[in-house]
């Protein structure tokens, strides 16, 4: 089966055993392997990213990057066709969402788990929010194949749920280009193989109302040469804010979350100023901003100055991803940053 620091990771643990049992297992394993289990202060680990590993981005430089991406976002999207396999995956997701709406009402919340990896966090979210639609999206087929719950037909013609990693090892997805898979034990969950940016664009084009959007342990790209690969400095950053909904980001690098927070602030400030520009002017920014329907970052203001917060684990809050579990076992600190969609709160 799949291993993390020598510990087998099984999806069935989180579906059948419950949070407390799984947390007890993690503590017991930590004790057996003589790994430090920290309740308070934590030391540096081999996974720690701090200012000595990657210095903070200069505010002026980050502001310039964010403004460029915001002011040229429509142009960037117009030059980037949607990936065919992502469009096909989204069409399958639309059918899933429509069927769920039909059975539960069209006011059902949609929750995105972007970059879900093996889908472990998606399953936990599906369990936490049973009345919401939870979509886990990842571009990697190999990651989605790990710890995968799927439906097979037995000889009696009835459906059997396969949980064990040993069975997953021999499982191959029938379509290598696009894939969506329902989870039999959680009817509100769908796992999707797709390109994130393109899937987000499909969500916007379909007019979906996103209630919560999780970005759990995105690739931090800790080298300054890869700064623009980080979500908050990526050309797709405006799309994340346009999608709306509460945004929850987790990372073991606090600096990543600090700079994500700064990027939202810079976006809000720029769009607020741009709204005062006469649309009749010939500047590129005025035309582009006009097509973006106002300040889509304002709904996240004011930003909580106390964020990001260090995560604490207990019976009702267990590690959500394989990365988070690995960090927990070795004593690495992890953090969460949450942006509240105030516009969404006002509509409810």
């Amino acid at each position: 089966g799949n291993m993390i620091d020598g510990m087998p990771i099984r999806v069935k643990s989180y579906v059948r055993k419950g949070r407390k049992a799984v947390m007890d297992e993690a503590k017991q394993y930590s004790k057996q392997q003589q790994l430090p289990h920290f309740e308070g202060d934590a030391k540096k680990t081999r996974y720690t990213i701090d200012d000595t590993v990657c210095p903070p981005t200069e505010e002026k430089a980050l502001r310039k990057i964010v403004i460029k991406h915001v002011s040229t976002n429509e142009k960037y999207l117009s030059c980037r066709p949607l990936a065919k396999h992502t469009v096909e995956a989204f069409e399958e997701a639309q059918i899933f969402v429509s069927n769920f709406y039909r059975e539960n009402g069209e006011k059902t919340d949609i929750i995105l788990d972007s970059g879900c990896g093996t889908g472990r966090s998606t399953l936990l979210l599906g369990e936490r929010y049973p009345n919401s639609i939870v979509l886990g999206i990842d571009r990697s087929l190999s990651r989605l194949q790990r710890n995968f719950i799927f439906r097979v037909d037995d000889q009696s013609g009835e459906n059997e749920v396969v949980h064990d990693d040993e069975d997953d090892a021999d499982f191959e997805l029938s379509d290598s280009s696009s894939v969506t898979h329902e989870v039999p034990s959680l009817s509100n969950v769908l796992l999707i193989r797709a390109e994130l940016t393109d899937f987000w664009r499909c969500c916007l084009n379909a007019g979906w109302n996103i209630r919560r959007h999780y970005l759990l342990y995105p690739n931090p790209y800790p080298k300054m040469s890869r700064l623009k690969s980080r979500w908050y400095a990526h050309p797709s950053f405006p799309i994340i804010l346009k999608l709306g909904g509460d945004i929850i980001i987790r990372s073991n690098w606090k600096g990543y979350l600090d700079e994500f927070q700064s990027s939202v602030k810079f976006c809000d400030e720029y769009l607020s100023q741009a709204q005062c520009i006469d649309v009749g002017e010939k500047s590129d920014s005025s035309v582009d901003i006009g097509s973006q329907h106002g300040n889509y970052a304002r709904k996240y203001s004011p930003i909580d100055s106390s964020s990001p917060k260090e995560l604490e684990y207990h019976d009702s809050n267990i590690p959500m991803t394989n990365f988070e579990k690995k960090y927990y076992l070795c004593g690495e600190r992890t953090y969460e940053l949450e942006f509240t969609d105030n516009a969404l709160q006002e509509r409810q």
Side-chain angles (χ1 to χ4, degrees), residues 20-200:
K20 186 178 186 303
V22 173
M23 182 60 78
D24 289 342
E25 282 184 5
K27 290 182 179 179
Q28 183 63 28
Y29 176 79
S30 177
K31 183 178 180 180
Q32 291 173 351
Q33 300 299 316
Q34 296 183 336
L35 295 173
H37 177 74
F38 294 91
E39 300 292 351
D41 294 336
K43 65 177 182 180
K44 285 187 177 182
T45 74
R46 61 194 177 107
Y47 304 112
T48 301
I49 305 175
D50 55 19
D51 293 353
T52 62
V53 176
C54 184
T57 310
E58 292 184 7
E59 180 176 318
K60 183 178 180 181
L62 182 57
R63 184 189 295 271
K64 182 178 180 180
I65 291 171
V66 171
I67 290 176
K68 177 184 177 181
H69 292 332
V70 172
S71 63
T72 62
N73 186 242
E74 294 298 319
K75 183 177 181 180
Y76 165 76
L77 296 179
S78 66
C79 298
R80 182 187 174 96
L82 294 170
K84 181 181 177 181
H85 75 273
T86 297
V87 173
E88 293 172 351
F90 184 78
E91 289 173 351
E92 294 181 28
Q94 275 190 306
I95 295 173
F96 177 84
V97 170
S98 296
N99 291 338
F100 201 91
Y101 279 166
R102 192 177 303 113
E103 296 176 5
N104 301 275
E106 293 192 1
K107 292 186 177 181
T108 303
D109 292 334
I110 296 178
I111 298 173
L112 298 183
D113 183 15
S114 294
C116 67
T118 63
R120 169 174 158 175
S121 54
T122 310
L123 297 174
L124 287 173
L125 290 171
E127 183 185 34
R128 182 183 300 176
Y129 301 104
N131 298 319
S132 299
I133 298 169
V134 182
L135 305 177
I137 312 105
D138 200 276
R139 67 180 300 181
S140 171
L141 192 64
S142 62
R143 281 195 292 266
L144 286 170
Q145 284 181 310
R146 299 178 208 150
N147 302 329
F148 206 81
I149 294 181
F150 57 95
R151 191 186 301 268
V152 297
D153 293 325
D154 61 18
Q155 294 180 351
S156 64
E158 297 178 352
N159 290 318
E160 176 188 359
V161 179
V162 179
H163 293 277
D164 292 326
D165 292 329
E166 289 84 354
D167 295 307
D168 292 352
D170 297 326
F171 173 65
E172 294 183 1
L173 297 175
S174 58
D175 186 349
S176 61
S177 60
S178 66
V179 58
T180 64
H181 271 271
E182 299 181 34
V183 179
S185 57
L186 293 169
S187 61
N188 61 325
V189 171
L190 186 70
L191 294 173
I192 304 163
R193 187 243 174 172
E195 298 292 332
L196 284 180
T197 296
D198 290 350
F199 193 87
W200 294 340

Side-chain angles (χ1 to χ4, degrees), residues 66 68-73 76 204 231 234-244 267 292 296:
V66 171
K68 177 184 177 181
H69 292 332
V70 172
S71 63
T72 62
N73 186 242
Y76 165 76
L204 283 174
W231 282 127
H234 192 274
S236 300
F237 174 67
I239 303 175
I240 297 174
L241 303 185
K242 288 180 183 180
L243 273 174
C267 182
Q292 291 173 1
Y296 45 81

Side-chain angles (χ1 to χ4, degrees), residues 274-289:
Q275 284 183 312
C276 300
I277 299 175
D278 182 3
V279 179
E281 294 181 9
K282 299 299 183 180
S283 67
D284 292 338
S285 61
S286 64
V287 175
D288 207 10
I289 296 303

